[in-house]
Amino acid sequence: MVEVRLIEVREELLAENRQEAGDIRAELRRQGVFMLNLMSSPGSGKTSLILRAVRALKDVFQIAVIEGDIEAMVDAEKMVREGIPAVQIRTGGACHLDAPMIAAALKELDLAALDCIIIENVGNLVCPAEFDTGAARRAVILSVPEGDDKPLKYPLIFSVSDLLVINKTDYLEGSDFDPEALRERVLRLNPGIRILSLSCRTGEGVSEWTRWLADEIEVFRNK
Amino acid sequence: MHELAVTESLLQVVLRHANEGGAGKVVSVSVRIGGLSDLVNEWVQRYFDHLSRGTIAEGAVIRIERIPTTFRCDQCGHVFPADPRTREEIRCPLCSSAEMTLATGRECFVQQIEVVNGFGA
Ligand SMILES: Nc1nc2c(ncn2[C@@H]2O[C@H](COP(=O)(O)OP(=O)(O)OP(=O)(O)O)[C@@H](O)[C@H]2O)c(=O)[nH]1
Ligand SMILES: [Mg+2]
Ligand SMILES: [Zn+2]
């Protein structure tokens, strides 16, 4: 007789990733380095937003970038051209960055010399939402051409982010994008989320973003 | 497709518990996943079949149970299920407040496994 028995497991999936993310968070806390995990669909403006922030804050804070582009090195090269320390993660086609990849990338950075690290996650609204990278804060960008219905289709990423940046507001005129409907959809998933609207093209609203980042870095350091 | 990474983690958890429990073979795995997750059941099973080859979990059936997405009303505390994917406005069915906080929907864990003892053991 083969007897089937039950073993209670009740264990979180991705527990190992979470553990490693916790270790990263503790190490960055010790070093006083604020890390932001920046997520969005491909082409929403992650690289543009990072360049804007680094240019505006470069005299005040030392900022490095971890790039998760799938194949090419284009974004990392853009950073290096601006004199920004950048580490390229070769994800080998993975759809997201996880804590072990970030831990390896951090080894290539001089943490003692840094105030802030921005992770440009892989362009994707689904998978990055599931993986803790050890960052202190998470931000998601939604650009106007993508439509105001994205929180309906990808609720998880909006529910785990601390900041929503609505980018490409220069496309708002004449579009059917409804910023109020978007706001309401996002706030019911995540009442504590901060929402900013801006255009990396015209520069309108960009100072709000750089101020948000500067404040977060300051608060983190003084904690 | 993050199903691959999730399934790798799933197999690790399953094998660890099966070995600790002295199992000879894993028959089924029950997983509970929140309604906000985009995991596709079929892919989890396919990846599991592939990854578990040659282990005691080979051939196990993955049962995925979805935990409904629920909100807690900020005004009266009532917890109610609602689909965040709807275009309709969500309101508390008791007090009709529109202010609410996500209560469940992000879970992702292994609930239990069914195993048989090793033959001849
Ligand atoms: N009109 C307009 N175009 C923008 C704006 N912000 C970025 N873009 C353009 O959108 C394109 C994509 O921007 P990126 O910053 O490269 O976006 P990304 O998210 O880094 O893209 P990937 O790394 O490929 O996923 C570029 O051609 C930008 O010039 C904006 O506010 N308005
Ligand atoms: Mg980019
Ligand atoms: Zn209520």
Side-chain angles (χ1 to χ4, degrees):
Chain A
M1 264 302 277
V2 181
E3 202 173 316
V4 177
R5 62 193 162 90
L6 277 182
I7 298 177
E8 286 295 318
V9 177
R10 295 187 170 276
E11 190 171 313
E12 195 71 29
L13 273 171
L14 304 176
E16 258 168 53
N17 187 73
R18 186 154 322 185
Q19 174 101 39
E20 179 130 23
D23 294 347
I24 291 172
R25 207 168 276 118
E27 170 67 7
L28 292 178
R29 172 80 271 165
R30 217 170 49 75
Q31 301 264 5
V33 183
F34 171 80
M35 186 157 76
L36 176 70
N37 178 9
L38 188 56
M39 306 175 286
S40 82
S41 306
S44 302
K46 295 179 292 299
T47 304
S48 306
L49 212 58
I50 294 171
L51 288 174
R52 284 280 189 173
V54 177
R55 281 179 199 146
L57 299 174
K58 67 167 181 276
D59 296 335
V60 196
F61 299 117
Q62 281 301 316
I63 303 178
V65 175
I66 296 177
E67 283 294 341
D69 237 344
I70 293 190
E71 284 295 344
M73 298 271 290
V74 241
D75 288 347
E77 279 159 9
K78 250 181 231 169
M79 300 295 161
V80 170
R81 221 176 298 135
E82 300 252 344
I84 306 167
V87 181
Q88 174 73 45
I89 297 182
R90 301 267 191 174
T91 59
C95 49
H96 62 271
L97 300 179
D98 62 18
M101 294 181 200
I102 297 299
L106 289 176
K107 291 209 178 82
E108 296 181 37
L109 290 169
D110 178 10
L111 295 183
L114 290 175
D115 303 301
C116 171
I117 298 168
I118 304 178
I119 301 171
E120 177 170 348
N121 216 312
V122 180
N124 180 340
L125 287 178
V126 180
C127 315
E130 305 260 13
F131 293 83
D132 191 349
T133 58
R137 291 275 181 266
R138 291 190 242 202
V140 58
I141 309 172
L142 179 68
S143 63
V144 168
E146 293 170 72
D148 55 38
D149 61 350
K150 290 300 161 291
L152 305 178
K153 295 185 176 162
Y154 309 100
L156 187 65
I157 198 160
F158 294 91
S159 85
V160 300
S161 295
D162 303 287
L163 173 74
L164 165 63
V165 174
I166 303 169
N167 186 30
K168 308 197 187 180
T169 52
D170 52 300
Y171 284 133
L172 266 179
E173 219 181 280
S175 86
D176 60 358
F177 188 99
D178 182 346
E180 257 322 297
L182 174 74
R183 249 189 121 69
E184 192 194 292
R185 286 163 186 168
V186 170
L187 286 176
R188 76 187 179 200
L189 286 167
N190 186 351
I193 196 170
R194 179 82 193 280
I195 303 177
L196 302 176
S197 299
L198 55 84
S199 165
C200 287
R201 171 74 41 92
T202 68
E204 196 181 356
V206 166
S207 62
E208 291 279 321
W209 146 247
T210 52
R211 188 168 321 128
W212 178 87
L213 185 61
D215 287 349
E216 288 290 338
I217 298 171
E218 279 294 337
V219 168
F220 184 85
R221 276 211 283 197
N222 298 328
K223 233 187 254 170
Chain B
M1 298 289 277
H2 59 301
E3 278 81 357
L4 180 56
V6 170
T7 310
E8 278 167 352
S9 169
L10 173 64
L11 180 63
Q12 279 176 11
V13 172
V14 167
L15 289 178
R16 178 155 39 77
H17 283 265
N19 286 326
E20 281 168 9
K25 191 159 179 52
V26 182
V27 180
S28 76
V29 178
S30 302
V31 182
R32 303 193 75 201
I33 294 174
L36 287 183
S37 165
D38 291 291
L39 274 191
V40 181
N41 299 8
E42 190 194 333
W43 280 101
V44 175
Q45 180 74 60
R46 276 204 222 174
Y47 283 133
F48 193 89
D49 290 348
H50 177 72
L51 294 169
S52 64
R53 239 171 253 167
T55 73
I56 59 169
E58 182 171 347
V61 176
I62 312 296
R63 295 203 186 91
I64 296 182
E65 185 194 342
R66 296 274 161 177
I67 300 175
T69 306
T70 61
F71 291 86
R72 179 177 295 102
C73 173
D74 291 346
Q75 295 303 319
C76 74
H78 181 54
V79 176
F80 57 95
D83 181 4
R85 291 177 167 83
T86 178
R87 285 172 183 276
E88 310 291 312
E89 197 183 9
I90 299 177
R91 286 187 175 275
C92 170
L94 286 194
C95 74
S96 69
S97 162
E99 260 142 53
M100 59 198 70
T101 307
L102 198 66
T104 61
R106 288 190 209 143
E107 301 74 6
C108 191
F109 63 95
V110 188
Q111 177 80 354
Q112 59 186 29
I113 55 178
E114 276 184 319
V115 303
V116 293
N117 291 340
F119 300 101

